[in-house]
Amino acid sequence: MNHITNTYVRLVNAFAEMREEERGATAVEYGLIVALIAAVIIGVVATLGTKVSSNFEKVSNGMPA
């Protein structure tokens, strides 16, 4: 969890530095935002997918044959 926090802080600092530049590369900024959103979505889907799969297995095992 600490690694995720450090990564988040670095990204926020990078975005802040990019905003200070008048000629900033907006395409790069949008690319980083999209990458961050994709990483969050992948993490959520992986976590929820495992939990949902586990619940389906429990229900399936509880049903009579």
Side-chain angles (χ1 to χ4, degrees):
M1 190 67 171
N2 194 14
H3 176 67
I4 294 172
T5 305
N6 290 339
T7 303
Y8 175 76
V9 169
R10 278 189 252 140
L11 282 173
V12 169
N13 289 337
F15 286 139
E17 288 175 9
M18 286 181 200
R19 270 188 273 136
E20 291 174 3
E21 296 178 8
E22 293 294 323
R23 299 181 297 152
T26 28
V28 173
E29 293 172 359
Y30 286 128
L32 289 172
I33 291 170
V34 169
L36 179 62
I37 291 170
V40 169
I41 290 172
I42 289 170
V44 168
V45 168
T47 302
L48 289 179
T50 304
K51 290 181 180 181
V52 169
S53 177
S54 174
N55 286 338
F56 275 119
E57 284 182 34
K58 287 178 186 176
V59 171
S60 176
N61 291 338
M63 297 177 105

